[in-house]
Each structure stands twice: as structure tokens, then as C-alpha cells.
Amino acid sequence: MVSETDLRHLRRAVDLAAEALDKGDEPFGSVLVGADGTVLFEDHNHVAGGDSTQHPEFAIARWAAQHLSPADRAEATVYTSGEHCPMCSAAHAWVGLGRIVYAASSRQLGSWLAEWGVPAGPVRTLAITEVAPGLRVEGPVDSFTEEVRALHARLHGRGPRP
């Protein structure tokens, strides 16, 4: 179940996604929160520079592997504007991070992109648990659906610019 604390951290992840879009990148943002509620690391997409692996969820996994003990990683929560892609799901599992809470699902994003005629990416869209079945996952969180959809619509020229 998603709590008020979860919603607050998820709000920040969506705000980071908007920040990424405002900087000319794809609208994805993520926040790593420790078991005590402390924000440990946050980031947004950096793929506009040409490296399509520069996802915030992947950055979180790398940061956590370098800075947190295995026990602290397992107790942490990742909040993200969009469900992890297969690459990020695998990184999350390999590093041993804990719970994931996401605003919009890969399935939702895929349906929006198809609706707008955007070609599919080079990697199949899979749910996190299809890639890493042992992960604890909550999402999508309906209260963010329209906002995340609007960010992606803007990216693909389907929505108003700020």
C-alpha cells in the first residue's frame, strides 16, 4: 500500500522528470530513500547526450553499490516517475535494492507512445517483475498518471509547451 510518505517521495521523482524534460531530456526521475526516510540520492534522465543507458534508476543502482551496505540497500526504496526498463530492473536486482514505487507503468507508457505513433524502442517493454521476479513493487499510482502522461506528450510534441 502506498503511504503519504511514499506520495511525497514520488512527487519528487515526477518533479525530477519534469526537470529533465525542461533541460531537453526524456522525462524520467528517481529518488533513493533510506529506511529512515532520508533521501540518499536522486537523479533524472541524461540520455540526450547520446548514451541511452543514462537512466536515473541505473544511476541509483551504481551509487548504492558504491555507498551502501547490502543491508542498507535491501531496506531502501526507489521512487520513480516511470516503471523501470529491463536494464534498470536487472541493475536494481543485481545490486540488491529494496522496494520500488513507480508513478506510471511501462504498459501505460507503451500504450501512450503507440497512440501517438512513436516507434517502439530497441528493447522489449517488460514489467519489473518479469525481469526480476523477487522485487517488491508498487505502482502505478493513479494520482500521477495524467501528469506523467502530459510530460511524455510534451516530449513527443503531443502536448502544450510551458
Side-chain angles (χ1 to χ4, degrees), residues 23 86 88 117 121:
K23 291 180 177 181
C88 295

Side-chain angles (χ1 to χ4, degrees), residues 30 53 55-61 78 80 82-100 102 105-106 123-137:
S30 300
T53 68
H55 297 186
E57 304 87 358
F58 202 71
I60 282 173
V78 174
T80 189
E83 184 176 13
H84 291 25
C85 72
M87 172 185 72
C88 295
S89 297
H92 188 108
W94 282 116
V95 169
L97 284 164
R99 181 171 166 251
I100 300 167
Y102 62 84
S105 71
S106 296
V123 175
R124 184 187 314 167
T125 301
L126 299 171
I128 293 168
T129 55
E130 289 181 76
V131 177
L135 294 180
R136 294 175 311 178
V137 179

Side-chain angles (χ1 to χ4, degrees), residues 12-31 41-60 62 78-85 87-88 109 113 151-152 155-156:
R12 178 64 182 146
V14 173
D15 288 346
L16 285 164
E19 183 180 314
L21 184 59
D22 290 342
K23 291 180 177 181
D25 220 313
E26 295 180 5
F28 293 94
S30 300
V31 180
F41 185 86
E42 61 180 32
D43 201 6
H44 59 72
N45 252 31
H46 297 280
V47 301
D51 181 351
S52 295
T53 68
Q54 294 298 312
H55 297 186
E57 304 87 358
F58 202 71
I60 282 173
R62 286 190 304 267
V78 174
Y79 297 91
T80 189
S81 61
E83 184 176 13
H84 291 25
C85 72
M87 172 185 72
C88 295
L109 178 58
L113 296 177
L151 291 171
H152 287 279
L155 174 69
H156 295 288

Side-chain angles (χ1 to χ4, degrees), residues 4 70 144 148:
E4 287 300 317
F144 291 99
V148 173

